[in-house]
Structures are given as C-alpha cells and as structure tokens.
Amino acid sequence: MFPKYLKEFPESLKNHLLKNLIENTSLGVFILNEKKEVVLWSRGAKKITGFSFSEVLGKKMEDFTIIEIYYKKKEINFEKFLEAYNEKEKTDSNLSYIRHKEKYRFPIEIQLLKVSDEKSGRIFFCGIFKIHDLVVYTKKLINSLKKRANQDFLTKLPNRRFLEFIINKKIQEFKRFSTNFGIILFDINNFKEINDNFGHSTGDNVLREFSKTIKLNLRECDIFGRWGGDEFIAIILMVKKSQLKKISDNFIKIIGKKLFNEKKGGFYIAVSAGFTLVQKEDDLGCLIDRADKNMYRKKLKIKVSRNAIHC
C-alpha cells in the first residue's frame, strides 16, 4: 500500500501519517468492509455530506442514499457500482451525486480502491470523493442555510421570522393593490397539561401532528407557520370575513376530532382560534394584536360555558 521508499519507516509512523492524511484532508474518505458496511468516515466526508461517522457506521450506502450513481443515464445502487468495479476495474462513473443530509444534492467525482488483507483474506473498499462543481455546491449550501433560517426546527413549518416577513409584505400589497387577506391565530389550550401528563416528547408529537393536520386542510396558496410555543398562524389570501370565520371554525372542528394515541392512553386537544381581516391602518403589530384579542375572547367564552355547566 505504501511506496517502496516508505517501507523503511517504522510502522507507527506510517499509521500516524495515514491517520492524519485521512482526518485532515478536505476530500471525503470512506472504507467499506466485505459486507459493504461503512467502517470509516472521514471528517472531510462529514463536512461534504452533513452526516457524522456515528450516523453512517455499520450501514450500507443504500440504507441512507448518500451517494447516487448514474450509468448510461440510469440510476444504479451503490452495490451494483461496486460489482461493476469488481468486474471491469471501473473506478468512476458518468454521473455521481451526493445527497446531503439537508436533502439537496450536488455533483461529485468519486474513485474506488479495492484493498485485500494478505493475512486474513478480507476485502475492503476505500472510496475517495470530492465536490465536482464548487459553485453549484456553494449555491445549494446557501439556499439550504436560508431555508433553515426561515424554518421551525420541530415542525418544519415557516418560523416567526418568515411569517413576519410575509405578513408585512401582504400588508404593503393590500395598501397598494387592495389584495385582501386575513390571518388566523391558533393556540392549543391544554398544551401544558399534555406536557405535564405525557411528557415533552408527546408534546412535540402533538405540535407536529397539529401542524400536518392544518397544513393538509389549507389551500396551496395560503401560508401556515409556527408563531412560537404552541401558537400558530395561518395567512389566508383573498378571503372575506364570513369565509374566514368558516375556515377558522372548520379547523377547530377537525382538530377537535383528532385522537392522539400514546402509551398512557388516548387524548384530544382543544384549540382556540382568533381571526381578523387586514385593515388600511394596520401594521404587523396591530393585525396580530387584534387576532390575539379575538382568540382570548373565545377562550373566555369557553371557560365561562364550562363553569356554567359545572355549576
């Protein structure tokens, strides 16, 4: 494996040299055992793909689709790529891509080296890859970072920062072009009790499922995001007040019928919603404040009705 002039070096020095080369190179380096499982994943590989060594250790490339190989315009899985290398001494392919942990992909150049251990007869594959087009990679990385900056980490919905930007934009459009819109502010009434009784992991699951349910029942043109904690906002475009009320009431009914199953038992969640249409004198603060007050009034009505029934 080492050139002749390195054979006279002590084994410890050669191992030290190899380890430092692998760990400090900007190239992605990986080693697969005879079962095609990852047994080494360099720092360079982590930086390029976003996947850490612990996430890929003992897995096959097909398990998480990091590397995509195309041969004659058709995608082939990584194991077939290795077979082609075995049969034809093939070290590269027409098209190869890295599928980053953040889901975007970019072209790479990849080479394989087949290594056999003389003593045990075991076979290993060493792979080395690098970014083929740094411009493409940089653009996709920047776009991914922008998306993450505007995305809630738990629900994957637009976050407060992005919602504020969109609402401000829609307010300006309304004042210039009279393009009407409204917002619905949602709050999960019994969220604290859910966390206390079932744990925070269940609470997180409730937020995710609530998000999915609302999003599935929205029009494609409307925007839904997490405002913070257990509060969410839907931005409904081109809508009248009567329509906005129906939409809000419908969401409350849909959520109220959804059963959440947990090990400790099933439960339902109660949701309050306050809606409002944009007005000419509105800014972001006024619009949100009005929706919040409308939601709070509904919460008070619910409490009053429950107390009346209890008495």
Side-chain angles (χ1 to χ4, degrees), residues 213-225:
T213 303
I214 297 294
K215 195 173 179 181
L216 281 171
N217 288 278
L218 273 176
R219 299 175 302 177
E220 287 187 11
C221 63
D222 299 325
I223 299 160
F224 180 62

Side-chain angles (χ1 to χ4, degrees), residues 165-306:
F165 170 76
I166 293 296
I167 292 171
N168 277 319
K169 185 180 177 183
K170 293 301 174 187
I171 289 172
Q172 295 306 314
E173 288 177 2
F174 170 71
K175 289 179 178 180
R176 289 183 65 188
F177 309 112
S178 298
T179 49
N180 201 23
F181 77 95
I183 65 168
I184 306 172
L185 179 62
F186 296 95
D187 179 82
I188 302 174
N189 299 335
N190 53 340
F191 189 67
K192 185 179 183 302
E193 288 81 359
I194 291 168
N195 277 332
D196 291 343
N197 295 327
F198 295 91
H200 288 279
S201 60
T202 297
D204 289 347
N205 185 51
V206 166
L207 294 176
R208 282 190 289 262
E209 289 301 313
F210 170 81
S211 304
K212 289 178 186 176
T213 303
I214 297 294
K215 195 173 179 181
L216 281 171
N217 288 278
L218 273 176
R219 299 175 302 177
E220 287 187 11
C221 63
D222 299 325
I223 299 160
F224 180 62
R226 188 180 180 188
W227 190 245
D230 59 340
E231 289 188 334
F232 295 79
I233 283 182
I235 303 169
I236 313 297
L237 306 180
M238 304 298 292
V239 67
K240 296 178 182 178
K241 188 174 181 179
S242 59
Q243 294 172 323
L244 196 58
K245 182 181 185 305
K246 285 180 182 179
I247 293 168
S248 177
D249 291 343
N250 187 47
F251 283 145
I252 292 172
K253 287 179 184 178
I254 291 169
I255 293 296
K257 292 177 182 178
K258 184 173 178 60
L259 176 65
F260 292 82
N261 289 306
E262 295 294 328
K263 290 180 181 179
K264 292 183 180 180
F267 61 88
Y268 295 89
I269 64 172
V271 176
S272 293
F275 63 87
T276 185
L277 285 177
V278 66
Q279 298 175 9
K280 287 185 179 180
E281 65 276 10
D282 274 341
D283 58 19
L284 174 66
C286 291
L287 191 64
I288 298 296
D289 187 55
R290 194 163 61 249
D292 189 52
K293 285 178 179 176
N294 290 339
M295 182 179 67
Y296 186 67
R297 288 192 194 100
K298 289 195 174 183
K299 278 194 172 188
L300 282 178
K301 285 182 181 179
I302 292 170
K303 286 182 180 178
V304 169
S305 64
R306 282 179 179 171

Side-chain angles (χ1 to χ4, degrees), residues 33-90:
N33 61 17
E34 63 271 23
K35 294 180 181 178
K36 314 297 190 301
E37 298 166 339
V38 176
V39 293
L40 183 142
W41 191 257
S42 70
R43 289 178 187 173
K46 178 185 176 181
K47 286 181 180 178
I48 293 173
T49 67
F51 288 92
S52 66
F53 183 33
S54 61
E55 291 176 297
V56 301
L57 178 62
K59 295 181 179 178
K60 295 183 176 182
M61 289 296 181
E62 289 80 8
D63 292 340
F64 43 89
T65 320
I66 289 182
I67 298 177
E68 297 177 5
I69 307 291
Y70 288 83
Y71 180 66
K72 293 182 179 179
K73 297 183 179 181
K74 291 184 179 180
E75 185 178 2
I76 59 172
N77 64 33
F78 199 78
E79 194 156 352
K80 286 185 178 179
F81 178 53
L82 292 179
E83 288 173 6
Y85 172 79
N86 274 331
E87 293 170 3
K88 302 175 183 178
E89 297 289 318
K90 187 178 173 62

